[in-house]
Amino acid sequence: MSTLEDDAPIRIAAKMPRSRPRPLRAILAVLTAQYTIVTIVVSLSVAGTLRYLVTPQIVAKFELIAAALRRI
């Protein structure tokens, strides 16, 4: 039978400190925040482009169509 001295290495090996796991939640929170910020910036730049470049062209085309229809 084993004695307490014989089981000591097993108990020491069982109590060895494990490597600390990465803070997965913190990493996910940072990535989510970055994704959100990038999405907002891209959305604002698309909205600005549509507002200042595309919309005047569309309005001008509709005004031309309306003027042509008035002449008929």
Side-chain angles (χ1 to χ4, degrees):
M1 298 196 91
S2 62
T3 62
L4 289 176
E5 290 82 21
D6 292 339
D7 291 340
I10 295 172
R11 276 188 264 124
I12 290 172
K15 292 183 180 180
M16 286 183 66
R18 296 180 181 170
S19 63
R20 188 173 181 194
R22 288 186 167 183
L24 186 61
R25 288 185 182 175
I27 292 172
L28 288 176
V30 168
L31 291 177
T32 303
Q34 287 178 344
Y35 178 78
T36 303
I37 291 169
V38 168
T39 303
I40 290 171
V41 168
V42 169
S43 299
L44 289 175
S45 61
V46 168
T49 301
L50 289 175
R51 170 72 174 93
Y52 292 106
L53 298 178
V54 177
T55 305
Q57 294 174 1
I58 294 173
V59 170
K61 287 180 184 179
F62 277 111
E63 287 176 350
L64 286 175
I65 292 171
L69 289 175
R70 285 187 204 134
R71 282 186 243 156
I72 295 179

